[in-house]
Amino acid sequence: MNDRIEALRALMLSKGWDAVIVPGTDPHGSEYPALCWRQVEWLTGFTGEAADVVVTADDAGLWTDSRYFIQAREQLAGTGVSLHKTRVPEEIPIPEWLDRTLPEDAIVAYDSLCFGASSIGPLPERLSVVAVKDLLGAIWPDRPPIPQTPVFEVETGESSEEKIAWLRARLEDNGCDGCLVTALDEIAWLLNVRASDVEYNPYVISYLLVSTDRVKWFVLKDSVEDPQSGETFAGLEDQGVEILPYASVDEEVESFDGELYSGPDLIAPRKAVKNDFEIRSLREAHIREGVVMEKFLYWLEKSLDAGHRITEWDASVYLGKLRAEIGDYLGDSFETISAYGPGAALPHYRTPATNAPVIGETGLYLCDSGGQYMSGTTDITRTVPVGECTPQEREDYTLVLKSHIDLAMAVFPKGTPGCRIDALGREPLWKAHRNFGHGTGHGVGFLLGVHEGPQDIRQNLNPAPLEAGMVVSDEPGIYREGLFGVRHENLLLCVDDGQSEFGEWLRFEPLTLCHFDTAPVDFRLLERAEIKWLNAYNEKVFTTLAPLLPPEIASWLRGKTLSSAIV
Amino acid sequence: MNDRIEALRALMLSKGWDAVIVPGTDPHGSEYPALCWRQVEWLTGFTGEAADVVVTADDAGLWTDSRYFIQAREQLAGTGVSLHKTRVPEEIPIPEWLDRTLPEDAIVAYDSLCFGASSIGPLPERLSVVAVKDLLGAIWPDRPPIPQTPVFEVETGESSEEKIAWLRARLEDNGCDGCLVTALDEIAWLLNVRASDVEYNPYVISYLLVSTDRVKWFVLKDSVEDPQSGETFAGLEDQGVEILPYASVDEEVESFDGELYSGPDLIAPRKAVKNDFEIRSLREAHIREGVVMEKFLYWLEKSLDAGHRITEWDASVYLGKLRAEIGDYLGDSFETISAYGPGAALPHYRTPATNAPVIGETGLYLCDSGGQYMSGTTDITRTVPVGECTPQEREDYTLVLKSHIDLAMAVFPKGTPGCRIDALGREPLWKAHRNFGHGTGHGVGFLLGVHEGPQDIRQNLNPAPLEAGMVVSDEPGIYREGLFGVRHENLLLCVDDGQSEFGEWLRFEPLTLCHFDTAPVDFRLLERAEIKWLNAYNEKVFTTLAPLLPPEIASWLRGKTLSSAIV
């Protein structure tokens, strides 16, 4: 690691740069950058998702937030790179740190390829700033190539031509002549194409330039040799899409004749509202996944009852195997979190492939997983008892379920942003002086990212309203360091709930279908309406999934879903 | 009215102005401007609180929001002034309207005395803009003088010197040499002085210039002749406050040697957090007011039972009389809303002094009132049945009470802004597809404005956190046009609720003490916790107030506050 930083310092010396900024984003602002763009990881060894690095002649620092403090400390040990905490009161952001550290006439170079998508603020005006495209290129000899996997068309209920026409109308509204789309999920959505270039996300690494009369797609063309890609490209060309080399985007943008749109994201809010086809597909995806989850939970319970030794990793592998048996499965939508006891206390726990902890005989096991299917993207968390639970485990389990239910039952006026109803999914925890440090809900794409905007349900005051057709997760939790963790997550579809003299109304409908285990529930902590919701949900899970399950699992599920308390 | 607009047009013609903007604010950004600054009212006849006016050679328009649409239509009829709706999707704000309406080289004059405090956005750059101090002065011959009433000192638990020292420390933090305080409530708070210059608000019309080593108070000095004011002024001078003529503020500010602070309001967030003295005082004020309210509700019920004819105005007058009997009463904190039936369906109803509606024999009566006492500022709404209620009245009454209780019971982490818990006070209504068009809660001052910031509990995404020591109202409602209205309002004190491994916690404690009538409550709509809260609150009201009430009222209150449902 130190060699790489030293190589960078040698480059800095030869160029006369006093500092170099390497942002932790890729050119497309992706959640999961390809290996070739994991510059921070290559330079420092840190594998977390959100970190920026600054290197000077005698210092090197990595800026990241609380989700990664522990991981950063471990991974940076011995590298000479120090950790700078962000989103803490004492935070010193990169611009300020540079201002404090660098001499008057210093020169700062940054990697311009990725910087546009990063959130590093404006640099102090006194510094000379040099934008260098692909700054690490010169010192990263064995850099992996940009991935290119077979590109295929997908059915989404709306043709690419219709989407492009819609976008052009928006550009016209804004008095613009074109727009450059860099976000990979937006390109995939606009063109109805998918691939596997990015881990967990079915995207094609590319740029798209949409103007009044042309559509130019900048994509790695080597894959044209793959027959499926060739067919997809040909189909798009028939629709008038020009297919151009990925690397030519810069010169095309520079020579663009007209005004390019640069306002707030036009595509994300439209993409987030699923159409009828997508909603129908998603319902099917969730039924198939419900079958997988019930088979998984049945297997887990029976195997543990039989005294088998099962590690967190074993369980994760078994679940992956079941998921892969679904016909239209393309891959997971993120890395499965399979965690028993203390592991589950880390919301972003990474289940180790080797020496994974064994699932014990008491307490709670948590599994957070999701799939990419041709019929949609899923994300589900279930926490289940694997034996006796302590009173604290039962209480936390119940309060998290109560919170989950309260949010799922919410009814709210049209125009309400998620931040205004986040407290509904927290108040039962707050009343017991408990809380969790992540969002309650994130948007979910259709055969796209498992995290998508603009909507979310969290404490940040994001003004984007929830709209009928949007999908959000509902995933409150409680995490007891060193002990256990509880999280209950369904995906919810936001649906129209009619209108009254007081306005128009929205509510949620769970898409996810997998029972909540009522064994650890302390029913004294639930109100009547919550118990009613729970019983009705479990009943719906049973009636929907039982016909699709082997008889012994259907019968087991019957037992799991019988109403467990008199309402 | 038309004469005044014509006089303005003549002035415009002589000056060469194409348009004039008259903002609906006063120089101090007051909620209740003095008569001399009610420029919009003088010019158009519109008496609502929030409106700006634009006059051109052949057009005149008034911009206001939905609270005042009906009132504006009525009051503007025949004036030639047209209504422009704000805060609606089709809104055309003043700057845009000017841009659409005026010729290329137009000149716009605005009243600079009041404009600073207004929220009119920046004007189109193509227009020439002229700032005219006191623009209407030339055409308003019989303009009332700036009010000046006796100025007196108040005990607030913290000396003026301490407050000034605190402010100076903040100025130093910000690298500034001084600040000009224009908000009247902030001046009153800083100097511990009060008067009655402003309706409902015990303020002294003045400016305050605080610098590193001097405090200059710009105030109308004629009142020095009043002995109380003279004593107050002398006391302040002893503390080093320089007392200067109100009109000299401009030249003092212009000649100020140093940098004046111009960042976000420093004083409001500090002032909003009540100290121990203020909290103790407030508790006393609310006990006294509770006694008044119980006497009032007893009188109302008994009088109506006896078949007396009582109008809304009669009730308002009787309540005012009871309030005035309190020793430290200075006046009302706003105009009492005394409303029966359809009147109560208007959240900002104005009870007419003549020909007021008679309170009927069935349904609901609503009374929203408050006082300015030496011991603090209050604000309370009670809705009570005056006879049989319809099922809809009972249901609305219960759901509003449920919402009120849910917010009052909230527990939330330190740092939470009110907008994040607003939904707790609405969800019971939302579930029934009902809602209300005003905020759920506003901050309340200590012997200051009944509305104060920075905190509130409403749908706007105001990031100001609720803090221990802040006072907010909790006042959900339902309004049925032409039928009736329900609002239940207590003032809540935000208090520390300890800490846990998950952080520090806050909750509310009701300051207001007056029973909620349980007769119209449909207990099937309340959860156990809500009924428990209601019974405990009513019990506390009884035990606190009964010893201070005449026996017959205490005994009546016993009946009103007995637990009404088995929990």
Side-chain angles (χ1 to χ4, degrees):
Chain A
M1 238 26 106
N2 275 345
D3 291 352
R4 293 173 184 175
I5 291 176
E6 286 315 317
L8 178 57
R9 285 192 175 126
L11 178 70
M12 290 164 63
L13 196 63
S14 75
K15 299 279 188 184
W17 302 333
D18 296 284
V20 154
I21 307 178
V22 179
T25 45
D26 80 357
H28 303 280
S30 305
E31 185 175 356
Y32 301 99
L35 269 180
C36 58
W37 289 315
R38 291 199 202 142
Q39 305 194 118
V40 165
E41 181 177 341
W42 180 79
L43 200 60
T44 68
F46 174 74
T47 57
E49 279 167 33
D52 302 305
V53 166
V54 174
V55 175
T56 66
D58 46 17
D59 206 342
L62 178 139
W63 273 252
T64 193
D65 65 66
S66 65
R67 291 174 296 168
Y68 300 106
F69 291 165
I70 297 168
Q71 183 180 340
R73 258 195 304 268
E74 287 171 5
Q75 295 183 328
L76 297 180
T79 62
V81 180
S82 41
L83 167 63
H84 296 259
K85 297 180 177 183
T86 64
R87 298 196 211 164
V88 293
E90 66 275 20
E91 172 178 5
I92 301 171
I94 287 176
E96 195 182 326
W97 187 86
L98 291 172
D99 201 23
R100 290 187 188 189
T101 310
L102 295 182
E104 192 56 43
D105 54 350
I107 297 171
V108 178
Y110 67 87
D111 177 45
S112 64
L113 185 67
C114 301
F115 200 75
S118 88
S119 58
I120 300 168
L123 300 181
E125 279 185 27
R126 70 171 184 85
L127 300 174
S128 306
V129 175
V130 189
V132 183
K133 183 149 181 173
D134 198 15
L135 195 149
L136 297 188
I139 57 163
W140 189 346
D142 54 346
R143 188 176 201 160
I146 299 175
Q148 43 180 326
T149 58
V151 181
F152 53 95
E153 242 186 306
V154 289
E155 169 68 54
T156 65
E158 189 178 7
S159 72
S160 174
E161 287 102 320
E162 287 170 300
K163 291 174 179 176
I164 297 284
W166 166 85
L167 179 59
R168 282 183 172 139
R170 297 294 77 67
L171 293 176
E172 205 184 317
D173 294 345
N174 286 277
C176 290
D177 309 296
C179 79
L180 178 70
V181 188
T182 60
L184 301 184
D185 60 339
E186 298 187 352
I187 297 170
W189 179 81
L190 275 169
L191 296 183
N192 285 338
V193 292
R194 302 292 190 272
S196 308
D197 290 357
V198 178
E199 208 177 356
Y200 304 121
N201 289 156
Y203 303 153
V204 187
I205 291 175
S206 57
Y207 293 96
L208 189 72
L209 182 60
V210 178
S211 62
T212 320
D213 52 359
R214 297 174 79 169
V215 179
K216 295 183 177 180
W217 193 25
F218 303 92
V219 60
L220 294 161
K221 296 189 65 171
D222 314 8
S223 59
V224 178
E225 289 162 32
D226 158 70
Q228 194 177 22
S229 304
E231 203 180 304
T232 309
F233 286 10
L236 286 167
E237 281 173 329
D238 286 349
Q239 292 171 27
V241 175
E242 298 165 59
I243 302 197
L244 298 163
Y246 180 76
S248 68
V249 63
D250 283 353
E251 92 201 40
E252 285 277 348
V253 167
E254 272 157 36
S255 66
F256 184 80
D257 184 22
E259 201 190 335
L260 282 178
Y261 177 79
S262 63
D265 193 335
L266 296 169
I267 299 166
R270 169 75 151 70
K271 171 168 67 66
V273 175
K274 275 59 184 169
N275 63 35
D276 290 347
F277 175 91
E278 290 169 326
I279 291 170
R280 274 198 312 275
S281 281
L282 277 172
R283 289 193 204 282
E284 280 174 37
H286 282 278
I287 290 173
R288 290 194 200 116
E289 182 157 89
V291 169
V292 162
M293 282 300 297
E294 297 298 358
K295 284 181 178 171
F296 170 68
L297 294 174
Y298 173 83
W299 165 83
L300 184 72
E301 184 177 309
K302 296 301 174 194
S303 305
L304 293 172
D305 283 355
H308 296 160
R309 182 184 177 280
I310 296 174
T311 68
E312 295 172 347
W313 182 254
D314 297 336
S316 166
V317 167
Y318 188 83
L319 176 58
K321 198 170 72 73
L322 287 172
R323 209 172 240 127
E325 285 168 11
I326 296 182
D328 69 349
Y329 170 81
L330 298 176
D332 286 355
S333 59
F334 57 96
E335 189 173 311
T336 296
I337 298 174
S338 169
Y340 170 73
L346 302 171
H348 296 92
Y349 180 67
R350 197 157 184 173
T351 308
T354 51
N355 297 320
V358 172
I359 299 172
E361 287 170 15
T362 61
L364 299 169
Y365 165 78
L366 180 156
C367 186
D368 188 351
S369 68
Q372 294 288 4
Y373 310 99
M374 287 299 282
S375 47
T377 306
T378 65
D379 183 0
I380 173 173
T381 307
R382 284 298 179 272
T383 304
V384 291
V386 294
E388 277 290 296
C389 288
T390 64
Q392 192 184 44
E393 284 166 336
R394 289 172 59 96
E395 201 171 294
D396 285 351
Y397 184 99
T398 307
L399 290 176
V400 172
L401 191 56
K402 185 181 173 84
S403 297
H404 175 93
I405 294 171
D406 286 3
L407 182 58
M409 289 197 304
V411 176
F412 46 95
K414 211 176 150 176
T416 302
C419 62
R420 298 238 314 126
I421 59 169
D422 177 56
L424 301 176
R426 291 184 190 260
E427 184 61 33
L429 306 183
W430 289 352
K431 280 214 167 70
H433 288 189
R434 297 169 211 185
N435 206 356
F436 55 96
H438 55 74
T440 311
H442 55 82
V444 179
F446 175 81
L447 186 38
L448 289 171
V450 77
H451 298 130
E452 75 168 15
Q455 82 279 17
D456 56 25
I457 301 176
R458 54 186 303 136
Q459 68 168 26
N460 313 46
L461 302 185
N462 170 3
L466 295 166
E467 291 180 50
M470 284 180 168
V471 177
V472 285
S473 67
D474 172 4
E475 48 179 315
I478 293 182
Y479 306 95
R480 300 276 184 182
E481 206 185 324
L483 294 172
F484 64 91
V486 181
R487 183 162 66 252
H488 298 303
E489 177 190 25
N490 277 353
L491 297 192
L492 307 176
L493 177 68
C494 183
V495 298
D496 194 335
D497 198 33
Q499 63 181 75
S500 71
E501 66 177 287
F502 298 96
E504 294 177 72
W505 302 92
L506 298 171
R507 62 178 173 85
F508 293 123
E509 208 184 282
L511 288 172
T512 306
L513 287 169
C514 176
H515 78 279
F516 288 107
D517 198 319
T518 55
V521 172
D522 179 348
F523 280 93
R524 293 167 306 176
L525 301 177
L526 298 185
E527 298 284 356
R528 288 165 300 181
E530 292 155 350
I531 297 171
K532 216 171 134 184
W533 185 96
L534 179 59
N535 286 337
Y537 177 77
N538 273 351
E539 186 62 26
K540 185 182 171 187
V541 168
F542 175 75
T543 54
T544 312
L545 301 184
L548 307 168
L549 287 167
E552 72 278 13
I553 303 184
S555 140
W556 168 86
L557 184 60
R558 177 69 290 180
K560 289 282 177 193
T561 53
L562 282 177
S563 295
S564 303
I566 292 151
V567 183
Chain B
M1 235 29 102
N2 275 344
D3 290 353
R4 293 173 183 173
I5 290 177
E6 286 314 317
L8 178 58
R9 286 195 174 123
L11 179 70
M12 288 165 64
L13 195 65
S14 75
K15 298 280 189 185
W17 302 332
D18 296 285
V20 154
I21 307 178
V22 180
T25 46
D26 80 357
H28 303 281
S30 304
E31 186 176 355
Y32 301 99
L35 269 180
C36 58
W37 289 315
R38 291 198 203 143
Q39 307 195 116
V40 166
E41 182 178 340
W42 180 79
L43 200 59
T44 68
F46 175 74
T47 57
E49 278 168 33
D52 301 305
V53 167
V54 174
V55 176
T56 66
D58 47 16
D59 206 342
L62 179 138
W63 274 252
T64 193
D65 65 67
S66 64
R67 290 173 296 169
Y68 300 105
F69 291 165
I70 297 168
Q71 183 179 339
R73 256 194 305 266
E74 287 171 6
Q75 295 183 328
L76 297 181
T79 63
V81 180
S82 42
L83 167 61
H84 296 258
K85 298 181 176 183
T86 64
R87 299 197 210 164
V88 293
E90 66 276 19
E91 172 179 7
I92 300 171
I94 288 176
E96 196 182 326
W97 187 87
L98 291 172
D99 200 23
R100 291 187 188 189
T101 308
L102 295 182
E104 192 55 46
D105 54 350
I107 298 172
V108 178
Y110 67 88
D111 176 47
S112 65
L113 186 67
C114 302
F115 199 76
S118 89
S119 58
I120 300 168
L123 300 181
E125 279 185 25
R126 71 171 181 87
L127 300 174
S128 305
V129 175
V130 189
V132 183
K133 185 151 181 174
D134 198 14
L135 195 148
L136 297 189
I139 57 164
W140 189 346
D142 53 345
R143 187 175 201 160
I146 299 174
Q148 42 180 326
T149 57
V151 180
F152 52 96
E153 240 186 308
V154 289
E155 169 69 53
T156 63
E158 189 177 8
S159 72
S160 175
E161 287 101 321
E162 287 171 299
K163 291 175 179 176
I164 297 285
W166 166 84
L167 178 59
R168 283 182 171 139
R170 295 295 76 69
L171 293 176
E172 206 183 315
D173 295 345
N174 285 278
C176 289
D177 308 297
C179 79
L180 177 70
V181 188
T182 60
L184 301 183
D185 59 339
E186 299 187 352
I187 298 171
W189 179 82
L190 274 168
L191 297 183
N192 285 336
V193 293
R194 302 292 190 272
S196 309
D197 290 357
V198 179
E199 207 178 358
Y200 304 121
N201 288 157
Y203 304 153
V204 188
I205 290 175
S206 56
Y207 293 96
L208 190 72
L209 182 61
V210 177
S211 62
T212 320
D213 51 0
R214 298 173 80 168
V215 180
K216 296 183 179 181
W217 193 25
F218 303 93
V219 60
L220 294 161
K221 296 188 67 173
D222 313 8
S223 59
V224 178
E225 289 162 31
D226 157 72
Q228 193 178 23
S229 303
E231 204 182 301
T232 309
F233 287 10
L236 286 167
E237 281 174 330
D238 286 350
Q239 293 171 27
V241 174
E242 298 165 59
I243 302 198
L244 299 164
Y246 180 75
S248 67
V249 63
D250 282 353
E251 94 201 37
E252 284 277 348
V253 167
E254 271 157 36
S255 66
F256 184 79
D257 184 23
E259 200 190 336
L260 283 177
Y261 178 79
S262 63
D265 193 335
L266 295 168
I267 298 166
R270 168 75 150 69
K271 172 168 67 66
V273 175
K274 274 61 185 169
N275 64 34
D276 290 347
F277 175 90
E278 290 169 327
I279 291 170
R280 274 198 311 277
S281 282
L282 277 171
R283 288 193 204 283
E284 280 173 36
H286 282 278
I287 289 172
R288 290 195 200 116
E289 183 157 87
V291 168
V292 163
M293 282 300 297
E294 297 297 358
K295 285 180 177 170
F296 170 68
L297 293 175
Y298 174 83
W299 165 83
L300 184 72
E301 185 177 310
K302 296 300 175 194
S303 305
L304 293 172
D305 283 356
H308 295 161
R309 182 184 177 279
I310 296 173
T311 68
E312 295 172 347
W313 182 255
D314 298 336
S316 166
V317 168
Y318 188 83
L319 176 58
K321 199 171 71 73
L322 286 172
R323 208 172 239 127
E325 286 168 11
I326 297 183
D328 68 349
Y329 170 80
L330 297 175
D332 287 354
S333 59
F334 57 97
E335 189 173 311
T336 296
I337 297 173
S338 169
Y340 170 73
L346 303 171
H348 296 91
Y349 179 68
R350 199 158 183 173
T351 308
T354 51
N355 298 319
V358 173
I359 299 174
E361 287 170 14
T362 61
L364 299 169
Y365 164 78
L366 181 155
C367 185
D368 188 351
S369 68
Q372 294 287 5
Y373 309 99
M374 287 299 281
S375 45
T377 306
T378 63
D379 183 0
I380 174 173
T381 307
R382 283 299 179 271
T383 304
V384 292
V386 293
E388 276 292 295
C389 289
T390 65
Q392 191 183 44
E393 284 167 336
R394 290 172 58 98
E395 200 172 292
D396 285 351
Y397 184 99
T398 307
L399 290 176
V400 173
L401 190 56
K402 185 180 174 83
S403 296
H404 175 93
I405 293 171
D406 286 2
L407 182 58
M409 290 197 304
V411 177
F412 47 94
K414 211 175 150 176
T416 302
C419 62
R420 298 236 316 125
I421 59 169
D422 178 57
L424 301 177
R426 291 185 190 259
E427 185 59 34
L429 305 184
W430 289 352
K431 280 214 167 71
H433 289 190
R434 297 168 212 187
N435 206 357
F436 54 97
H438 55 74
T440 312
H442 56 82
V444 179
F446 176 81
L447 187 38
L448 289 170
V450 78
H451 298 131
E452 75 169 15
Q455 83 279 16
D456 56 25
I457 302 177
R458 55 186 304 136
Q459 67 170 26
N460 312 47
L461 302 185
N462 169 2
L466 295 167
E467 291 180 50
M470 284 179 168
V471 177
V472 284
S473 68
D474 172 5
E475 49 179 314
I478 293 182
Y479 307 96
R480 301 277 184 182
E481 206 184 325
L483 294 172
F484 65 91
V486 180
R487 184 162 66 251
H488 298 304
E489 177 189 24
N490 276 352
L491 297 192
L492 307 176
L493 176 69
C494 183
V495 298
D496 194 337
D497 198 33
Q499 63 181 77
S500 71
E501 65 176 288
F502 298 97
E504 294 176 73
W505 302 93
L506 298 171
R507 63 179 172 84
F508 293 123
E509 208 183 282
L511 288 171
T512 306
L513 288 168
C514 176
H515 77 280
F516 287 107
D517 198 318
T518 55
V521 172
D522 179 348
F523 281 93
R524 292 166 306 176
L525 300 177
L526 299 185
E527 297 285 354
R528 287 166 299 182
E530 292 156 350
I531 297 172
K532 215 171 135 183
W533 185 97
L534 180 59
N535 286 336
Y537 176 77
N538 273 351
E539 186 62 27
K540 186 181 171 188
V541 168
F542 174 75
T543 54
T544 312
L545 301 184
L548 306 168
L549 287 166
E552 71 278 14
I553 303 184
S555 138
W556 168 85
L557 184 59
R558 177 69 290 180
K560 289 283 179 192
T561 54
L562 282 177
S563 294
S564 305
I566 293 151
V567 183

